[in-house]
Amino acid sequence: MGDGTGPDRADTDGTGGAGAGGGAGPASGAPGGADRGAPKGPERKIGRRKLLIGGGIALAGGVALTQDAVRRLWWQVPGVDRQRVPGAVDFAGATWAGASEANLRYADRPDDYTIDRIVIHVTQGSYASALRVFRSPLHAAAAHYVVRAKDGRIAQCVQERDVAFHAGNRAYNERSVGIEHEGFVDRPEDFTDVMYESSARLAAAICVRHGFPPDREHIIAHHEVPGADHTDPGPHWDWDRYIRLVRAAEKAARTKQA
């Protein structure tokens, strides 16, 4: 979307960059993105019969694995199917608008990657154009969510369990949820009250679901991602207001759970 419609860059680590300064960018120089992490040598498979769990470790091909490693590998074992409901949303207020499979990597977060960050983006274009390019396999980038300016409507494009190519940094893609906001970084009027409030409820739900605090260490700007060359959400994004709203929504959500 650098101009609101198309990709803006090719990341050397094979990850996508969504958001402004600009826009959602390609996952890699290769078609479909290289963030799928395909092995360069012979692929090593772990058979279910060789995965012996007990005594705090497991053995796979004679190699000792910790329980954490077993937990990450178990769903990859032949015959183990992860429950996946197509079109299911993680946030009750969202509607499904699935991104192309080329713009994400299927995963089983938080079992294989801990989620402890939210990355805030701005689309540098319209809500509709963001959804359109995320559906394109040629775009090679997508965020988990897009929030519309006029009414706070939320579209979910990638399930939170999966790795979306949005941050321009593979490690941050794997640990974060990306939220796009309709608008342009140099137009403060795009950041409406209803958008802030809707996004804050979404961010609070993500914090509660994944167990990290709603603060500026864990909710970051796209331009704060290491190695990022983007500028979003830009100087007009009201961080103090946004974090205040997220904290209030997070407190309300935890009170409701109690």
Side-chain angles (χ1 to χ4, degrees), residues 88-148:
V89 296
D90 296 294
F91 181 66
T95 57
W96 183 251
S100 168
E101 292 184 357
N103 302 333
L104 59 96
R105 172 158 42 98
Y106 286 123
D108 197 24
R109 303 190 307 172
D111 284 345
D112 48 5
Y113 303 106
T114 297
I115 296 173
D116 64 359
R117 294 290 187 277
I118 294 170
V119 179
I120 300 298
H121 302 269
V122 171
T123 61
Q124 286 298 90
S126 70
Y127 176 86
S129 68
L131 298 184
R132 183 172 63 252
V133 297
F134 289 171
R135 287 193 295 267
S136 169
L138 300 179
H139 188 60
H144 293 88
Y145 296 97
V146 184
V147 185
R148 192 159 65 185

Side-chain angles (χ1 to χ4, degrees), residues 177-207:
V177 173
I179 305 178
E180 285 275 6
H181 298 82
E182 180 184 27
F184 293 85
V185 296
D186 58 352
R187 291 191 347 199
E189 64 272 21
D190 290 344
F191 305 145
T192 62
D193 292 346
V194 68
M195 171 188 280
Y196 274 120
E197 292 163 3
S198 180
S199 177
R201 289 191 295 271
L202 169 61
I206 295 168
C207 290

Side-chain angles (χ1 to χ4, degrees), residues 17-248:
S28 74
D35 191 19
R36 295 184 177 276
K40 297 183 182 299
E43 186 176 2
R44 183 182 181 187
K45 296 288 188 180
I46 300 176
R48 221 174 357 171
R49 292 181 181 179
K50 292 185 178 180
L51 195 63
L52 307 175
I53 302 175
I57 64 169
L59 294 178
V63 178
L65 301 177
T66 65
Q67 284 287 14
D68 183 61
V70 171
R71 184 165 55 91
R72 292 168 185 245
L73 291 169
W74 177 247
W75 65 267
Q76 301 179 43
V77 176
V80 176
D81 295 324
R82 292 175 293 144
Q83 294 297 317
R84 185 179 288 276
V85 180
V89 296
D90 296 294
F91 181 66
T95 57
W96 183 251
S100 168
E101 292 184 357
N103 302 333
L104 59 96
R105 172 158 42 98
Y106 286 123
D108 197 24
R109 303 190 307 172
D111 284 345
D112 48 5
Y113 303 106
T114 297
I115 296 173
D116 64 359
R117 294 290 187 277
I118 294 170
V119 179
I120 300 298
H121 302 269
V122 171
T123 61
Q124 286 298 90
S126 70
Y127 176 86
S129 68
L131 298 184
R132 183 172 63 252
V133 297
F134 289 171
R135 287 193 295 267
S136 169
L138 300 179
H139 188 60
H144 293 88
Y145 296 97
V146 184
V147 185
R148 192 159 65 185
K150 70 177 182 179
D151 56 6
R153 180 183 178 91
I154 297 171
Q156 183 166 1
C157 305
V158 180
Q159 291 185 340
E160 289 178 21
R161 71 189 299 176
D162 296 325
V163 176
F165 301 159
H166 69 97
N169 177 306
R170 181 170 186 150
Y172 272 72
N173 282 345
E174 291 171 344
R175 72 188 299 185
S176 67
V177 173
I179 305 178
E180 285 275 6
H181 298 82
E182 180 184 27
F184 293 85
V185 296
D186 58 352
R187 291 191 347 199
E189 64 272 21
D190 290 344
F191 305 145
T192 62
D193 292 346
V194 68
M195 171 188 280
Y196 274 120
E197 292 163 3
S198 180
S199 177
R201 289 191 295 271
L202 169 61
I206 295 168
C207 290
V208 171
R209 183 158 43 251
H210 298 290
F212 60 88
D215 57 30
R216 282 289 281 119
E217 178 183 350
H218 296 86
I219 304 175
I220 66 173
H222 190 187
H223 71 80
E224 294 173 325
V225 173
D229 62 358
H230 295 235
T231 64
D232 56 319
H236 300 297
W237 182 261
D238 191 339
W239 278 108
D240 290 341
R241 177 186 184 187
Y242 185 65
I243 294 299
R244 186 169 61 249
L245 288 169
V246 177
R247 285 174 173 163

